[in-house]
Amino acid sequence: MVRLTFGFLHLSVCALVVVLSAILVACEEAPAPSPVPVPDTLMAPTPAIEQVIEGQTFTISLGERLLATEELHADRVDGRLILSSDMQWHLDPPTTQRRTLMVSDGLDPERYDLESTRLGARSVWVGERSVQGMDCLNNNLDWVAPVLFEGVAPSPEIMLERAPSALPFVLMMLRYQRETGEESGEALSLNSLDIMEDYPVSRPLTVTFAPDRQGAVIGTTPLKGQIEDGPNPNFVLWFRPERQTLYRVEIPDYQFGFWDIWTYRELGGADLIITNVSSPPERPTAAPRGEARRIPLAFEAEDGTSLRGTLILPPGEERFPCLVVHSEGGVLPRRDPGDGPAERGWAVYCYDKRGLGESGGDYRRGPLHVLAQDAAAAADMLSGRREIDPDRIVFFGMRKGGQVGALAVAQSQRYAAAILSSCASTGDIFPGPTEYRIRHALAPFYGWSQETVQAYLDHSLEQWQTWLYEGESEVSLLGRRASLVALEDSAATDLYTPLSEVQIPVLLLHGDRDSWTPVEGAVNLHTLLMEQGQENISLHTFKDLGSLKDEEGGLLAPEADKVLFAWLDDVLSSP
């Protein structure tokens, strides 16, 4: 019984082995199934815009000259996408700009704040989308007062200023990829707006694929842009599609804005290049203004505010005649005229206006009477210095600085003479020369028609006069506050009154083609003073000259310098 069972089991195992062997042989002979295809790399998900933009760094160059470095940031706040740009301008004086842009899911601007800070004073431009278009606030501290434009239409999709930034070009690139696809040849149509323009206009902008520039930057996709009826109408940008990264922008023969050129006259005349970099380069060091002795020197204003400046001295140890050089209007630093005056044996004292640079106090666009009190205090301080001849302290000022001087020499006994350049007019300082500047400086620069000039006057000068009539000393516009103290002061000040009372020699200088202050104002003021028997006032006009400012940074243009120092030799040597 046992033997039968064992034999049976033996036969069963053998059979099982035979079956398994047959199955294995069949598997070896059958063709292998095709494998499931596996990609070499997995397709990465499209990165969020925050990831694309955050931390990108750019340089901005004019030809071979480095102008600025810029870093971009992105975040979501309460579900809203907020983009920002921090920019450092490597110019003298240095300027920082911060752009903050809240955009919709379609990347349309809903709120735009641009802050430009120079010497501690902050100018602000704001754009806010409304039902009618975009409301735009221009609170430029280099200008008389804030200007508000409501309902600029059509609503812009890109905020693009003449003060260049990589941010709008990054947004153009992203929109092109989203709305047309890479190298599609399809045009992307947008509207762009320069919020820093004195009269902002929404202009058509077209972006298309540029195959003729394909090989200019290897590994990138080129796009070309064209702005209709605007400055800097053509540009080319290159980006890396797989990374959604802007690589480079080129804009030929770049034209900067009015106020950029006003501050930095060396701008322009070359191609502008924006380049993506891994890290910002070292900031270039500013060249010294000259080799004459320069001594840091502070003084205390009438209200206790500390104002700081520089005393520039000729070689030697005697007591020198001294020019107190006041800067022009706007956010400008102390006016160091170089070594020219020192080479003529003159000391120079220049200082930062209150609220600017190293000086304390509140700027508030520089009310004239406050600045005049400061200038009087500067002369008081200098009269006690061992390096300065107290009987030969002379005020020098151009444009608003000249207006300050007319008030300062009328209240100070320390000044022996004054040179007031490109500033004279009759009647109240506001609004007279302001309309002239709109018509003869702003309008030609922008190419405004007569209708645009009138529209700008309505938004600016007419609105300012309304605020003064209503007794406003401060206004709040689009969430930003602006002081009107300097405007009130100018509206209550004329130059005839102080100059009719001065007992010291005063020289008025003026170019007959000045687009900022008309020469007729100087001629009429001088005539009026002569009719009243004020013989201390002299006038010299220069044929075929506009601004008398020295473009090289000196005191005045060479022909005006010659007249100025000859007049000083004459009046200070007289008994």
Side-chain angles (χ1 to χ4, degrees):
M1 186 71 178
V2 171
R3 287 181 179 177
L4 290 173
T5 303
F6 178 78
F8 179 78
L9 289 173
H10 176 74
L11 291 172
S12 298
V13 170
C14 289
L16 179 61
V17 170
V18 170
V19 171
L20 290 174
S21 299
I23 292 173
L24 289 173
V25 170
C27 289
E28 291 175 355
E29 294 176 351
S34 300
V36 177
V38 178
D40 294 332
T41 58
L42 294 175
M43 292 296 291
T46 302
I49 291 177
E50 303 95 289
Q51 297 172 311
V52 170
I53 292 179
E54 176 59 36
Q56 288 197 40
T57 302
F58 296 87
T59 59
I60 299 176
S61 302
L62 189 65
E64 299 297 321
R65 178 184 180 185
L66 176 66
L67 291 184
T69 55
E70 180 179 23
E71 187 170 307
L72 304 186
H73 301 281
D75 198 3
R76 286 195 180 269
V77 179
D78 297 329
R80 309 307 296 272
L81 181 59
I82 308 295
L83 311 177
S84 62
S85 153
D86 293 311
M87 182 180 294
Q88 299 287 332
W89 286 90
H90 307 313
L91 299 171
D92 185 21
T95 296
T96 62
Q97 287 181 341
R98 180 171 178 82
R99 293 165 168 82
T100 305
L101 176 62
M102 181 173 70
V103 297
S104 68
D105 291 338
L107 299 183
D108 289 332
E110 296 184 350
R111 169 87 182 195
Y112 185 56
D113 291 76
L114 195 163
E115 299 180 349
S116 183
T117 304
R118 189 187 321 130
L119 303 172
R122 183 180 294 116
S123 295
V124 175
W125 292 262
V126 178
E128 189 170 86
R129 188 176 293 273
S130 64
V131 175
Q132 296 81 13
M134 178 162 280
D135 299 337
C136 300
L137 169 65
N138 177 336
N139 190 20
N140 173 16
L141 295 184
D142 286 322
W143 192 220
V144 181
V147 187
L148 177 66
F149 298 88
E150 296 179 300
V152 178
S155 294
E157 290 91 5
I158 290 290
M159 308 299 291
L160 179 62
E161 296 84 39
R162 284 209 222 185
S165 164
L167 181 58
F169 297 100
V170 170
L171 291 173
M172 280 184 225
M173 169 203 74
L174 292 172
R175 292 189 76 128
Y176 187 85
Q177 284 189 295
R178 277 186 171 194
E179 300 179 26
T180 67
E182 179 188 346
E183 302 183 15
S184 68
E186 183 180 345
L188 174 65
S189 296
L190 305 169
N191 285 289
S192 67
L193 186 142
D194 180 354
I195 202 169
M196 301 180 81
E197 191 172 0
D198 284 275
Y199 194 107
V201 176
S202 183
R203 296 184 174 91
L205 163 64
T206 303
V207 182
T208 57
F209 176 56
D212 57 320
R213 305 300 295 268
Q214 187 96 39
V217 182
I218 298 174
T220 63
T221 296
L223 300 176
K224 62 182 177 181
Q226 185 170 37
I227 302 173
E228 185 177 314
D229 297 328
N232 307 311
N234 302 297
F235 60 84
V236 179
L237 67 85
W238 291 266
F239 70 101
R240 300 190 186 279
E242 70 283 1
R243 301 178 185 175
Q244 298 187 66
T245 302
L246 178 69
Y247 180 76
R248 184 181 176 92
V249 181
E250 293 182 4
I251 309 175
D253 195 19
Y254 197 79
Q255 300 176 33
F256 286 83
F258 182 92
W259 298 104
D260 292 323
I261 298 172
W262 178 266
T263 305
Y264 306 111
R265 300 193 179 263
E266 69 271 26
L267 293 179
D271 296 348
L272 188 97
I273 302 171
I274 302 174
T275 307
N276 197 318
V277 295
S278 57
S279 60
E282 291 187 9
R283 178 177 174 177
T285 56
R289 290 291 297 131
E291 299 179 357
R293 287 184 294 164
R294 282 168 167 76
I295 302 172
L297 187 59
F299 66 97
E300 190 173 283
E302 186 176 287
D303 62 357
T305 300
S306 177
L307 305 178
R308 305 188 66 82
T310 302
L311 181 62
I312 307 168
L313 294 170
E317 299 299 326
E318 68 263 30
R319 306 190 98 181
F320 301 106
C322 183
L323 286 169
V324 177
V325 177
H326 200 283
S327 62
E328 302 174 42
V331 186
L332 294 175
R334 65 187 74 169
R335 177 124 181 259
D336 185 331
D339 290 350
E343 291 169 356
R344 295 174 178 267
W346 278 81
V348 169
Y349 184 60
C350 49
Y351 61 94
D352 291 329
K353 293 178 289 191
R354 61 172 53 225
L356 298 182
E358 296 179 348
S359 291
D362 188 1
Y363 173 59
R364 297 189 302 171
R365 283 188 170 89
L368 287 170
H369 282 83
V370 175
L371 296 181
Q373 291 170 358
D374 295 344
D380 289 340
M381 177 273 294
L382 291 168
S383 66
R385 296 283 303 187
R386 61 178 178 81
E387 306 98 332
I388 303 303
D389 182 345
D391 296 325
R392 292 189 292 168
I393 299 174
V394 177
F395 184 95
F396 172 87
M398 175 178 280
R399 293 177 174 157
K400 187 172 181 177
Q403 297 167 353
V404 170
L407 301 175
V409 298
Q411 62 180 274
S412 172
Q413 302 300 313
R414 299 294 188 184
Y415 285 107
I419 300 104
L420 313 179
S421 174
S422 308
C423 67
S425 63
T426 55
D428 294 337
I429 292 174
F430 176 83
T434 304
E435 181 172 350
Y436 181 87
R437 292 163 189 170
I438 292 171
R439 293 187 180 278
H440 294 85
L442 295 185
F445 180 85
Y446 291 111
W448 289 343
S449 65
Q450 287 300 319
E451 292 76 13
T452 303
V453 170
Q454 187 55 55
Y456 183 79
L457 288 169
D458 293 341
H459 283 90
S460 58
L461 191 142
E462 294 298 327
Q463 180 61 71
W464 300 336
Q465 290 179 309
T466 299
W467 286 336
L468 293 179
Y469 177 77
E470 294 172 349
E472 300 285 355
S473 58
E474 188 179 72
V475 292
S476 180
L477 304 167
L478 298 186
R480 297 284 187 155
R481 302 192 70 82
S483 172
L484 302 177
V485 172
L487 188 64
E488 292 177 317
D489 198 0
S490 295
T493 303
D494 69 87
L495 299 186
Y496 170 78
T497 299
L499 291 179
S500 65
E501 299 173 355
V502 298
Q503 301 299 312
I504 61 172
V506 175
L507 174 63
L508 305 177
L509 298 175
H510 217 105
D512 68 356
R513 294 190 177 181
D514 195 319
S515 63
W516 199 246
T517 305
V519 68
E520 291 80 10
V523 172
N524 293 340
L525 177 61
H526 182 253
T527 299
L528 187 59
L529 290 167
M530 293 301 98
E531 290 174 351
Q532 300 301 315
Q534 178 54 291
E535 297 181 356
N536 295 326
I537 314 296
S538 302
L539 170 65
H540 190 103
T541 61
F542 295 86
K543 185 175 176 58
D544 297 329
L545 279 184
S547 170
L548 301 183
K549 190 172 183 178
D550 182 8
E551 297 302 327
E552 300 299 321
L555 195 61
L556 286 175
E559 52 266 64
D561 249 7
K562 182 178 179 180
V563 170
L564 182 156
F565 284 104
W567 179 82
L568 284 175
D569 288 343
D570 181 45
V571 298
L572 294 184
S573 62
S574 300

